[in-house]
């Protein structure tokens, strides 16, 4: 750029021509400092100093907040109800709008020619997941569904119906899959995990309450049978009024159809393997029992 | 319930496994104790190099902000790159590290809303005048602004980030 940044500008010119600044030259802007109110300094010694006349008010012996003079107070008369019971144990899902997803793809932080999963989203600094705060992953929110126009293979933990429709309308694939907290922590920070030298663990199956959701083809759950998922795709296309693009003729079909095994955390890496980043090698177990355990 | 549960999973496993990129670990019949295999290493287990290591490389987070790809005009999300030729104005507004327009909103004391326009270079007073004129045209009133010549930023009373971002993008900054 030919423009030179000159810090100070006019202020600096003025400053250079004035005499040296000392405490004797400085004064606050008139009207900026308001004198504080001091009690008990009024006419005739201040009188009651804003405390009122006799009683608990002047003497400072009022009862506690909420006390209603002996009647059962409001906060005791209303019965308890478990609105917030177990709130700190409920699974949370960090929202990701379609608008932000489109922005990340446009700016080049996400690569739509590779499957997008939570690791890719976190590496692109698109979302921040905190497994310690009961985050179970990311949810796709349908803000920006009208301007979304990217063909992607995305894996999230929860997605609204309109978001699924927006992704599939553009010829993409969406999967809802579950990660237990340990697998999630490994998924969002793979490099510190590999440096630990531990074998990649198996991903655990969802708990009893979440299983119906992840087996539901309408929610594109990862445990749902593929034929039912295809039927659900057609039904959703009919409901939202768009033509479902035929993926089998797509050049990116192989990438769009690639999905993880329910026990797999990373694409291409099986449970049981140890990654050696220093030597750029992968160690695989050969003991029969280990192979059987990690393969189950 | 639990019996049919596990059965269902096994069935799903079998159905889905065939479609996946899940190469099973290569099994070599060995004695159960740790014995050197293949490439004379004292640890037990086979070593497999770059064949699957590329999947590990995909997982490493990038350390630098990627260069945005070229678009014809504005992208679907509304983002547009700065014009190749900077506009011939006495001032310049650079993009942020993440290639965005450096206009931010601020709130203090819960109700004091301001808009900050940072990363200004050149004649900041001319930009100040232009911003004041733009807001006069849009709102009909004079908006108070504060010019900070040391940090080269302009602070405007009120939330006008969308309007100013659009205006700057249309100018080509």
């Amino acid at each position: 750029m030919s423009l030179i940044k000159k810090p100070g500008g006019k202020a600096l010119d003025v400053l250079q021509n004035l005499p040296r600044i000392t405490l004797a030259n400085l004064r606050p802007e008139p009207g900026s400092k308001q004198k504080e109110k001091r009690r008990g300094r009024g006419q005739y010694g201040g009188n009651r100093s804003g405390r009122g006349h006799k009683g608990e008010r002047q003497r400072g012996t009022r009862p506690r907040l909420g006390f209603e003079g002996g009647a059962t107070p409001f906060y005791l008369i209303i019965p308890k109800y478990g609105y917030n019971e177990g709130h700190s144990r409920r699974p949370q899902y960090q929202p990701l709008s379609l608008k932000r997803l489109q922005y990340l793809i446009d700016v080049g932080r996400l690569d739509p020619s590779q499957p997008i999963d939570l690791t890719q989203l976190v590496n692109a600094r698109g979302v921040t997941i905190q497994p310690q705060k009961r985050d179970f992953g990311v949810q796709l929110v349908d803000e920006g569904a009208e301007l979304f126009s990217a063909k992607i293979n995305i894996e999230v933990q929860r997605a609204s119906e309109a978001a699924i429709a927006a992704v599939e309308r553009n010829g993409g694939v969406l999967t809802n899959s579950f990660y237990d907290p340990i697998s999630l922590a490994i998924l969002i920070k793979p490099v510190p995990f590999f440096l630990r030298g531990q074998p990649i663990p198996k991903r655990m199956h969802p708990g009893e309450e979440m299983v119906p959701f992840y087996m539901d083809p309408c929610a594109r759950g990862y445990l749902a049978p593929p034929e039912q998922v295809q039927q659900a795709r057609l039904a959703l296309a009919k409901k939202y009024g768009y033509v479902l693009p035929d993926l089998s003729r797509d050049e990116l079909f192989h990438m769009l159809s690639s999905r993880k095994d329910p026990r797999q955390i990373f694409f291409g890496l099986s449970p049981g393997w140890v990654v050696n980043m220093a030597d750029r090698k992968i160690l695989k177990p050969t003991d029969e029992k280990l192979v059987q355990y990690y393969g189950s | 319930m639990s019996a049919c549960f596990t059965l269902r999973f096994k069935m799903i496993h079998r159905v889905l496994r065939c479609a996946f990129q899940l190469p099973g670990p290569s099994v070599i019949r060995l004695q159960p104790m740790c014995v050197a295999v293949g490439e004379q290493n004292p640890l037990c287990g086979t070593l497999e190099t770059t064949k699957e290591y590329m999947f590990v490389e995909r997982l490493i987070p990038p350390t630098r902000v990627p260069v945005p790809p070229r678009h014809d005009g504005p992208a679907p999300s509304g983002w547009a790159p700065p014009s190749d030729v900077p506009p011939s104005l006495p001032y310049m507004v650079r993009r942020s590290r993440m290639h965005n327009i450096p206009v931010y909103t601020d709130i203090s004391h819960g109700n004091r809303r301001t808009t900050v326009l940072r990363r200004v270079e050149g004649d900041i007073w001319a930009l100040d005048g232009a911003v004041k004129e733009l807001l006069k045209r849009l709102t009909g009133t004079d908006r108070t602004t504060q010019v900070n010549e040391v940090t080269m930023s302009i602070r405007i009373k009120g939330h006008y980030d969308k309007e100013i971002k659009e205006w700057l993008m249309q100018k080509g900054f």
Side-chain angles (χ1 to χ4, degrees):
Chain A
M1 273 314 306
S2 58
L3 290 165
I4 304 159
K5 184 175 167 185
K6 192 180 164 204
K10 288 184 192 173
L12 196 60
D13 295 334
V14 164
L15 206 59
Q16 279 167 350
N17 294 330
L18 283 177
R20 174 182 297 188
I21 288 181
T22 62
L23 282 175
N25 294 346
L26 292 172
R27 181 199 299 178
E29 173 83 4
S32 65
K33 300 282 179 192
Q34 199 166 354
K35 286 210 161 44
E36 71 165 78
K37 185 172 187 171
R38 295 176 69 210
R39 306 275 186 169
R41 305 283 188 285
Q43 206 180 27
Y44 313 117
N47 216 3
R48 295 199 184 91
S49 309
R51 289 302 303 241
H53 174 63
K54 286 207 228 177
E56 284 171 344
R57 292 160 197 236
Q58 193 173 25
R59 291 169 183 143
T61 48
R62 268 196 190 157
R64 65 182 181 278
L65 182 68
F67 185 68
E68 289 178 12
T72 315
F74 171 79
Y75 72 91
L76 285 181
I77 213 164
I78 304 296
K80 282 195 199 179
Y81 185 81
Y83 292 108
N84 295 333
E85 193 187 330
H87 73 282
S88 60
R89 289 175 201 229
R90 287 183 202 149
Q92 317 236 10
Y93 299 92
Q94 189 72 8
L96 172 69
S97 63
L98 286 168
K99 185 175 168 194
R100 180 149 173 86
L101 187 57
Q102 182 65 53
Y103 161 75
L104 291 168
I105 293 171
D106 290 336
V107 165
R109 274 148 71 169
L110 273 177
D111 186 12
S113 68
Q114 296 292 328
I116 294 177
D117 71 341
L118 194 52
T119 321
Q120 301 300 325
L121 283 167
V122 170
N123 286 353
R125 279 67 161 191
V127 285
T128 307
I129 308 286
Q130 300 167 292
Q132 305 247 355
K133 297 286 178 195
R134 276 72 65 192
D135 274 351
F136 270 63
V138 75
Q139 57 173 326
L140 209 52
V141 166
D142 46 65
E143 182 199 340
E146 357 20 79
L147 49 84
F148 187 74
S149 58
K151 187 163 66 173
I152 48 170
N153 176 3
I154 189 162
E155 187 194 57
V156 288
Q157 279 66 57
R158 234 170 174 84
S160 63
E161 206 188 40
I164 301 176
V167 167
E168 290 181 350
R169 184 184 335 142
N170 292 303
V173 173
L174 188 139
T175 317
N176 273 323
S177 71
F178 173 80
Y179 289 89
D180 58 285
I182 297 180
S183 307
L184 188 73
I186 293 169
L187 184 71
I188 57 173
K189 292 189 178 172
V191 176
F193 170 73
F194 293 145
L195 294 174
R196 276 182 239 166
Q198 291 167 8
I200 300 173
K202 292 194 289 192
R203 201 199 324 171
M204 291 294 123
H205 290 305
E208 213 176 293
E209 290 96 18
M210 295 205 225
V211 165
F213 174 78
Y214 288 108
M215 293 196 70
D216 184 13
C218 299
R220 312 290 186 271
Y222 72 128
L223 299 169
E227 324 77 49
Q228 287 185 19
V229 168
Q230 183 57 23
Q231 283 168 15
R233 282 164 63 94
L234 292 164
L236 196 70
K238 207 166 155 186
K239 179 178 174 184
Y240 277 78
Y242 59 87
V243 175
L244 188 69
D246 189 12
L247 289 185
S248 51
R249 291 202 198 120
D250 204 319
E251 63 210 5
L252 291 170
F253 172 65
H254 179 71
M255 184 280 289
L256 288 173
S257 63
S258 57
R259 280 161 71 182
K260 292 183 196 173
D261 185 81
R263 288 294 200 191
Q264 203 182 8
I265 299 182
F266 301 113
F267 268 117
L269 302 175
S270 279
W273 292 0
V274 179
V275 172
N276 183 348
M277 294 195 76
D279 297 331
R280 301 170 64 87
K281 287 175 183 167
I282 295 176
L283 293 91
K284 303 177 187 175
T286 48
D287 184 43
E288 213 173 283
K289 283 191 179 156
L290 284 175
V291 165
Q292 196 185 24
Y293 169 75
Y294 283 117
S296 62
Chain B
M1 172 61 198
S2 53
C4 72
F5 187 82
T6 40
L7 197 65
R8 225 189 258 170
F9 273 137
K10 287 206 176 100
M11 180 191 80
I12 286 153
H13 258 259
R14 259 182 273 125
V15 162
L16 293 176
R17 219 181 239 278
C18 46
F20 287 146
Q21 295 181 5
L22 176 62
S26 48
V27 178
I28 295 180
R29 290 276 140 211
L30 260 200
Q31 294 151 28
M33 304 301 285
C34 292
V35 171
V37 166
E39 301 162 13
Q40 294 114 21
N41 72 77
L43 308 164
C44 64
T46 48
L47 288 181
E48 192 75 54
T49 46
T50 48
K51 187 180 163 209
E52 277 110 7
Y53 198 78
M54 61 167 186
F55 295 111
V56 176
E57 278 167 359
R58 270 204 333 215
L59 299 168
I60 300 172
T63 45
R64 300 205 140 184
V65 179
V67 174
R70 292 219 65 89
H71 291 279
D72 297 322
S77 61
W79 180 84
S83 60
D84 300 318
V85 176
S88 58
L89 290 162
Y91 45 83
M92 169 69 184
V93 179
R94 282 208 183 190
R95 290 275 175 128
S96 72
R97 217 169 295 226
M98 299 300 209
H99 312 290
N100 293 327
I101 304 234
V103 172
Y104 309 99
T105 53
D106 196 10
I107 292 191
S108 50
H109 309 94
N111 51 11
R112 184 173 188 236
R113 302 175 185 198
T114 47
T115 313
V116 183
L117 165 56
R118 283 187 61 233
R119 299 211 85 192
V120 184
E121 290 169 10
D123 189 356
I124 194 168
W125 291 101
L127 176 56
D128 182 49
V131 163
K132 275 191 149 101
E133 198 205 302
L134 165 80
L135 292 174
K136 180 92 188 245
R137 202 173 63 228
L138 289 174
T139 60
T141 53
D142 294 317
R143 306 311 309 161
T144 318
T145 61
Q146 182 205 41
V147 169
N148 189 332
E149 284 176 332
V150 179
T151 55
M152 294 300 267
S153 62
I154 300 176
R155 191 175 276 270
I156 304 143
K157 254 182 141 179
H159 275 353
Y160 298 105
D161 56 318
K162 287 198 181 55
E163 292 90 341
I164 295 180
K165 272 187 188 163
E166 212 179 282
W167 177 69
L168 286 171
M169 212 179 287
Q170 170 240 323
K171 274 197 180 292
F173 284 122

